[in-house]
Amino acid sequence: MQHLEEQIAHLTKTVDEMSAVMARQERELAVLTRRVQMLMEREAHREQDGGGGAVFGNERPPHY
């Protein structure tokens, strides 16, 4: 009987720890999702304005 009680206590502790990890990951995922959304919106506005500003290869920037 004591062995079963020890197992239940161990499993309960493990479930509590996993729950805490999952809650933290859920918060982190929400933050990262919002950041990606903001970056996508910023890039869409940049493309819309025509101000990509990326220099590729040997191209000179427009101010040269």
Side-chain angles (χ1 to χ4, degrees):
M1 188 68 163
Q2 183 179 353
H3 178 71
L4 291 176
E5 289 175 351
E6 289 173 3
Q7 279 186 321
I8 290 171
H10 175 71
L11 291 173
T12 300
K13 180 183 174 199
T14 302
V15 167
D16 289 343
E17 289 171 353
M18 289 176 65
S19 179
V21 168
M22 288 176 62
R24 179 181 51 83
Q25 288 178 340
E26 183 178 8
R27 288 189 302 272
E28 289 175 0
L29 184 57
V31 168
L32 292 172
T33 300
R34 178 66 183 137
R35 287 181 181 174
V36 168
Q37 181 182 6
M38 289 171 56
L39 289 171
M40 291 177 68
E41 289 173 3
R42 184 184 304 170
E43 184 60 24
H45 288 295
R46 186 178 297 162
E47 286 180 8
Q48 197 174 43
D49 295 340
V55 176
F56 298 101
N58 293 329
E59 289 183 29
R60 288 185 157 180
H63 60 275
Y64 275 88

